[in-house]
Amino acid sequence: MEHLKPDDAHRFLTKDPTAVFVDCRSEMEFLFVGHPVGAMMIPWNDGPDWDINPHFVGQVKKACGHSINRPVVLICRSGNRSVDAGEALERAGFTKVYNVLEGFEGDLDDNHQRGNIGGWRKHGLPWEQV
């Protein structure tokens, strides 16, 4: 798995139209916090019990047109969950897996809030909230 800073991930996605951009946060995070433009929601784990999604690999494979050779760029809240998701994809044979460092919201600041230190949003990259 390769790790990309948010700006590098955005450039990569812009240059490679075959890449699949997966936001692996929960449905609530995706909908209410916002998400990168062009990212599809496939939760790695989700509430209420936060169990690992047993269909994650299959759902990503379907999003990739059933190819394990298409680039998959993963983003989560802070860049940690997406590592676990990426490792699962690699175990399933995916060959081009990328993790977005800092995630969508970045690390916690001194006030225990996200979005002030780093992340996709903090870097001013395209995002939306629906």
Side-chain angles (χ1 to χ4, degrees), residues 93-128:
F94 281 77
T95 58
K96 300 173 186 170
V97 180
Y98 302 86
N99 172 52
V100 180
L101 296 169
E102 302 176 25
F104 186 68
E105 296 181 83
D107 289 329
L108 292 170
D109 64 16
D110 291 339
N111 295 317
H112 293 42
Q113 296 176 334
R114 295 191 188 276
N116 297 318
I117 294 178
W120 185 273
R121 236 177 14 183
K122 176 71 174 170
H123 286 270
L125 299 169
W127 68 282
E128 61 190 353

Side-chain angles (χ1 to χ4, degrees), residues 73-91:
V73 178
L74 297 165
I75 192 167
C76 65
R77 180 186 61 203
S78 59
N80 296 318
R81 225 177 315 178
S82 49
V83 169
D84 293 339
E87 289 172 351
L89 293 177
E90 288 181 327
R91 284 192 301 275

Side-chain angles (χ1 to χ4, degrees), residues 7-75:
D7 290 328
D8 295 330
H10 183 257
R11 274 191 291 282
F12 179 85
L13 289 161
T14 301
K15 288 182 181 178
D16 190 344
T18 68
V20 177
F21 193 15
V22 175
D23 188 327
C24 62
R25 295 176 299 153
S26 71
E27 182 179 13
M28 292 300 179
E29 289 170 298
F30 185 87
L31 294 175
F32 296 112
V33 176
H35 55 272
V37 171
M40 65 179 60
M41 181 195 64
I42 303 176
W44 170 244
N45 56 358
D46 210 344
D49 298 323
W50 298 101
D51 292 330
I52 302 294
N53 176 359
H55 308 291
F56 180 79
V57 170
Q59 290 169 335
V60 173
K61 191 178 284 188
K62 183 177 179 182
C64 291
H66 298 283
S67 171
I68 58 172
N69 297 312
R70 282 181 70 180
V72 177
V73 178
L74 297 165
I75 192 167

